[in-house]
Amino acid sequence: MASAPKEEETRLLASRPPLDSDESDEERAYDSDEKIAISISDEDEYAAAEAAGSVPPFSWRKLWRFTGPGFLMCIAFLDPGNLEGDLQSGAIAGYSLLWLLLWATVMGLLIQLLSARLGVATGRHLAELCREEYPTWARVALWLMAELALIGADIQEVIGSAIAIKILSGGFIPLWGGVIITALDCFIFLFLENYGVRKLEAFFGVLVATMAVSFAIMFGETKPSGKELLIGVIVPKLSSKTIRQAVGVVGCIIMPHNVFLHSALVQSRKIDTSKKSRVQEAMNYYSIESAIALAVSFFINICVTTVFAKGFYGTQVASTIGLENAGQFLQEKYGAMLFPILYIWGVGLLASGQSSTITGTYAGQFIMGGFLNLRLKKWVRSLITRSFAIVPTIIVALFFDTEDATMDILNESLNVLQSVQIPFALIPLLTLVSKEQVMGAFRIGPITKVVTWIVVAFLIIINGYLLLDFFTAEIRGALLESFVGAALVVYVAFVIYLILRGSALFSRLALAARKNFSSSSN
């Protein structure tokens, strides 16, 4: 009797196709010849681990083999939208919201670990599984929501990169010119991708290191208070004057397209998903790697926030600082010092913008291919994905080049657009990682499920507040209000549908488990 659950667990694991198998009629994140082998331990070691119900001992060499996806994932925590949230948080709230940045990063890590878990355990990424899980109308709606979120994020990222190019060129290259230059980065992406996954990951590692060094130099030159930094991280503080910045800090951390991206990135390693010890080992290494990557992202975000807290908190210009004029304010405040701080900021912002736009292209490929099951050449998918964002971005750049106030409204609108999409990534993720038919032995347990649903509910409420605040401030006119009200009803109904459908699945699974248990007992 006791062996029945073990036999069922083995059956579920074995029923899944190995991660490196290719099916000609289905789109896959990576072809088998593109994946990286992790075969350092010998078969006897794995066999012994399987027999003991454990995983092989930790290996630094193996951790290095798994390192890469987490650093691509962490770029979404460092995109220009996040940097703008950081500088506004520091300038307006000082050091007081650093604790919230810490906990938002922890919540982000939890969500990303579930995304990685889904990809490793199933050998499929979130968009592919959504295609199989939901009816056609819901699948199309989820795809459209994911594409809208990606377009909103990409516009901010391209604009951020264009601003950096404008800074570094001394204003010679206008915003629209920077957008055109940034649009060409998909060719860099395609060039590196042709040389293998590790080359691409190394390129992104250099960009993350560039951000870390640039903003660390800014931190060193401006010398924010270490005591206030520590207090800000440890002691929770929140006032009515900083609620908007607090919502921005949390809202910027979770990017819908990043949830889809991470579940696909982890499939770049060859893992036999029919063997429990290998799946568990991969999850362990990816967890360590993701935690290290997000620790780096937290350090960078801390540097940006504290630099602007030190320089502008309590000043009259604090509320007017945005991504476009931040470099000029820094230059006026600190001058050259050891290095010209304007150009240090420009280099860090350029690394942020370039890395996030390329990962956006990457995410767009997985989202489109997964939901629509498209088997297109990579350059075709990249061109389609870039076009979705570049065309509206060029229009935005031409229209908003010299109007800073309007640019701020645009950024708020794009933040709202991405906030609206949060439930359509997180609810399907939680539904799938809780399903035994999908995850087998690696479905999340009840405690993890409860904690994660609480986190997701909190994120949805936070982003709902941002949505309500924006509509209250910006929506005027009876006709427009009626349209927005009707759209909101449809939106809420779809969110409720996703939640109830997931709950129904959980109920059916629990009922089936009870029936199986009763049958085995009899």
Side-chain angles (χ1 to χ4, degrees), residues 247 250 419 422-423 453-468 491:
V247 170
V250 177
S419 298
I422 286 288
W453 273 107
I454 290 172
V455 168
V456 170
F458 173 73
L459 291 171
I460 291 174
I461 290 170
I462 284 288
N463 287 284
Y465 174 88
L466 181 62
L467 181 67
L468 183 62
Y491 172 82

Side-chain angles (χ1 to χ4, degrees), residues 489-502:
V489 170
V490 174
Y491 172 82
V492 172
F494 190 37
V495 171
I496 292 173
Y497 163 78
L498 293 175
I499 294 173
L500 293 179
R501 194 175 193 282

Side-chain angles (χ1 to χ4, degrees), residues 58 73 84 104 210 236 275 302 310 363 461:
F58 177 80
M73 170 272 293
E84 183 161 33
T210 300
K275 296 182 179 179
I302 282 280
K310 169 68 183 301
I461 290 170

Side-chain angles (χ1 to χ4, degrees), residues 209-273:
T210 300
M211 281 185 271
V213 171
S214 297
F215 297 130
I217 291 173
M218 285 176 51
F219 182 91
E221 289 200 355
T222 57
K223 296 180 174 60
S225 169
K227 179 181 178 181
E228 291 190 60
L229 189 161
L230 187 60
I231 292 173
V233 170
I234 297 175
V235 180
K237 292 180 185 178
L238 188 63
S239 70
S240 58
K241 296 179 180 179
T242 59
I243 287 179
R244 193 183 185 104
Q245 284 68 45
V247 170
V249 167
V250 177
C252 287
I253 288 293
I254 306 297
M255 307 291 283
H257 72 271
N258 206 38
V259 179
F260 289 95
L261 176 65
H262 200 196
S263 65
L265 291 174
V266 296
Q267 294 175 43
S268 59
R269 272 61 175 170
K270 289 185 178 180
I271 302 164
D272 186 353
T273 58

Side-chain angles (χ1 to χ4, degrees), residues 85-98:
D86 291 339
L87 67 88
Q88 290 177 345
S89 170
I92 297 173
Y95 300 85
S96 65
L97 296 181
L98 294 179

Side-chain angles (χ1 to χ4, degrees), residues 82 118 147 198 233 236 272 288 294 356 374 401 409 453 497:
N82 275 283
L118 180 72
E147 290 289 356
R198 292 298 270 177
V233 170
D272 186 353
I288 296 169
L294 288 191
S356 55
L374 295 177
D401 195 11
I409 294 173
W453 273 107
Y497 163 78

Side-chain angles (χ1 to χ4, degrees), residues 123-194:
R124 315 291 294 280
H125 59 79
L126 180 57
E128 290 175 315
L129 292 168
C130 285
R131 185 183 75 234
E132 298 174 356
E133 180 64 32
Y134 294 98
T136 302
W137 70 269
R139 182 175 72 245
V140 171
L142 288 172
W143 171 61
L144 291 175
M145 294 299 101
E147 290 289 356
L148 281 174
L150 183 58
I151 290 170
D154 217 358
I155 290 174
Q156 285 184 313
E157 292 156 359
V158 172
I159 290 291
S161 189
I163 290 172
I165 292 171
K166 184 177 179 181
I167 291 172
L168 295 175
S169 68
F172 178 76
I173 300 176
L175 205 60
W176 64 266
V179 170
I180 298 295
I181 293 172
T182 306
L184 301 177
D185 64 15
C186 64
F187 295 106
I188 299 174
F189 162 71
L190 291 172
F191 173 78
L192 291 169
E193 196 174 31
N194 286 333

